[in-house]
Amino acid sequence: MFKHLLPKATSRPLLRPASNTFRASPSTFYLVDRSQYRRGYATEAEEKDLVIIGGGVAGYVAAIKAGQAGLKVACIEKRGTLGGTCLNVGCIPSKSLLNNSHLYHQILHDTKNRGIDVEGVKLNLEQMMKAKDTSVAGLTKGVEFLFKKNNVEYIKGTGAFADEHTIAVNLIDGGETSVRGKNIIIATGSEATPFPGLNIDEKKVVTSTGAIAMTKVPKKMVVIGGGIIGLEMGSVWSRLGAEVTVVEFLGQIGGPGMDAEISKAIQKTLQKQGMKFKLNTKVMSGDDSGESVKIAVEAAKGGKEETLDADVVLVAIGRRPYTAGLGLENIGLETDNRGRLVIDQEYRTKLPHIRVIGDCTFGPMLAHKAEEEAVAAIEYITKNYGHVNYGAIPSVMYTHPEVAWVGQNEAELKEAGIKYKVGSFPFTANSRAKTNLDTEGMVKFLCDAETDRILGIHIMGPNAGEMIAEGTLALEYGASAEDVARTCHAHPTLAEAFKEAAMATYDKAVHY
């Protein structure tokens, strides 16, 4: 029945793509009382159709899809809860804090004009953190339920390759076991990149993990790195009362994927909200030996050194693949110069039955990209085909207003020598945004100058993260700006700004 599960010989060369290519007998336990550990854990005697190392977004989605396909699956996760960084200490808890800190900030500063008089507003940070933790707990338990529903064996422990088909596991509750797999997927994710010279204690010097768990609002906070994580977490603590300064080596915030025009616009908005920025600035050193942290900075091109003083420093200079302790040397697998496992177009390593998905291989480190790769990898195993369009992976920054984009930005199109046209529409001219008193931002289309095919869509504004789904679908199906403009959008909605931007690209907008 599962002939297709057997490893296939391949002469396909391993790929090292550029940034915009594809990203894709009974058990023996060393315990006195072994009976309590036998139930629910894989045994040496049973070979699984698929073993997955890592229960984060990539791993757990792959496990569920494999279970749905009828495969015998085991998933190994050392955290003790499923969902990985995203669900436990990343995407989900940060969005809870972003949403609730925005509500708090809005009540403090944006109610009088709405006819709402509020007095005695106080921040209960402990309760805000409890609300975050409740959301996380509910979702992680939900993933465990889906494992049971789809007959996925959940092994709580740290896995490492003993040989090409065997994973040895140190169990969280003590003892050891091993599990064999016809197929193996590595989905071990990524970790925050440390900054040389700063000791991350998740108290004074924090990564995103510490930034979502602080017990008091710092007076001064320095964020090293003006990418999405730094800006999101910086905006949370800025709203709650901290004086936040963002230090960024590049000349714009938001990272290289964000369109330059949008980047400048969101920077102005965040500055109005109280955040400070030092662009084209490099961090020279840091001293965390005292009660506060001192950060020495200077202009990226050289100049006078300046010292910033902070109660908390957030290190947000990116993430790096996490493959430590996997025992890759035992099976001859190597990583590239950026720590990524090398794979081919079907996510296979040089050992074709071992595949890699998510943050520990090529492509943007995004949870939804990892999910898409998980589904495709299982399809390759069970059907011999799969699909991920790496040109249509959306990005979202959940500040307020939100910023979202999909496809190429202007700088990328210019570099590629592609002739394009631009159409945009501001939310100040959108009826729903005006009635909501929330008009910061715009929708921007980039289309091929000759064919009108959509090449990129960039949004800064309310609900941008939801609206970008329409742009991603349009890009996926090769739509033109005219296709979108001639599609009826409900009135009054924010999405009408999307339609009008499309109209402005191929013809003229009506309401601006």
Side-chain angles (χ1 to χ4, degrees), residues 422-425 445 481 485 499-510:
V422 182
S424 61
F425 190 83
F445 272 63
K499 172 189 172 77
E500 295 257 20
M503 294 177 72
T505 309
Y506 94 96
D507 189 12
K508 291 183 179 179
V510 172

Side-chain angles (χ1 to χ4, degrees), residues 287-300:
D287 181 3
D288 53 19
S289 59
E291 289 189 13
S292 63
V293 184
K294 298 187 184 301
I295 303 295
V297 302
E298 71 174 29

Side-chain angles (χ1 to χ4, degrees), residues 46 58 95 136 158 169 181 225 268 284 329 338 344 463 488:
E46 182 183 23
K95 300 314 166 285
V136 170
T158 302
V169 185
K268 288 180 180 178
M284 303 301 294
E329 66 280 2
R338 293 174 60 182
D344 69 6
N463 278 20
C488 185

Side-chain angles (χ1 to χ4, degrees), residues 6-26:
L6 296 174
K8 296 179 292 185
T10 178
S11 60
R12 184 190 300 273
L14 297 180
L15 303 180
R16 291 168 174 80
S19 58
N20 284 326
T21 348
F22 84 99
R23 288 282 174 222
S25 81

Side-chain angles (χ1 to χ4, degrees), residues 142-153:
V143 177
E144 280 202 47
F145 168 76
L146 291 173
F147 268 29
K148 292 176 182 177
K149 179 182 177 182
N150 293 286
N151 300 312
V152 175
E153 194 159 17

Side-chain angles (χ1 to χ4, degrees), residues 1-8 49-52 62 66 69 71 73 182-186 346-348 352-357 373-386:
M1 180 178 179
F2 290 110
K3 289 182 180 179
H4 53 275
L5 293 174
L6 296 174
K8 296 179 292 185
D49 297 315
L50 174 64
V51 176
I52 300 168
L71 275 60
V73 188
K182 295 186 181 80
N183 293 272
I184 296 171
I185 288 179
I186 301 172
E346 297 182 13
Y347 309 103
R348 296 175 297 193
H353 68 286
I354 300 177
R355 287 176 161 86
V356 187
I357 56 176
E373 289 183 337
V375 173
I378 299 306
E379 288 176 337
Y380 277 122
I381 291 172
T382 58
K383 302 176 182 178
N384 292 317
Y385 64 83

Side-chain angles (χ1 to χ4, degrees), residues 220-227 231 243-254 267 270-271 274-284 295-301 304-309:
K220 291 184 178 182
M221 183 178 196
V222 169
V223 179
I224 303 176
L231 295 175
E243 181 184 309
V244 176
T245 301
V246 177
V247 181
E248 170 56 49
F249 183 80
L250 299 177
Q252 72 170 59
I253 63 172
Q267 183 183 338
L270 294 176
Q271 284 173 332
M275 294 177 68
K276 299 177 182 178
F277 294 90
K278 288 185 175 294
L279 305 186
N280 295 305
T281 302
K282 59 182 175 181
V283 176
M284 303 301 294
I295 303 295
V297 302
E298 71 174 29
K301 295 181 179 180
K304 185 178 179 181
E305 192 171 289
E306 177 186 1
T307 300
L308 305 177
D309 192 67

Side-chain angles (χ1 to χ4, degrees), residues 408-423:
Q408 295 168 287
N409 59 40
E410 285 201 65
E412 290 168 338
L413 292 175
K414 288 176 182 176
E415 185 179 353
I418 298 173
K419 294 181 180 180
Y420 64 96
K421 52 186 179 179
V422 182

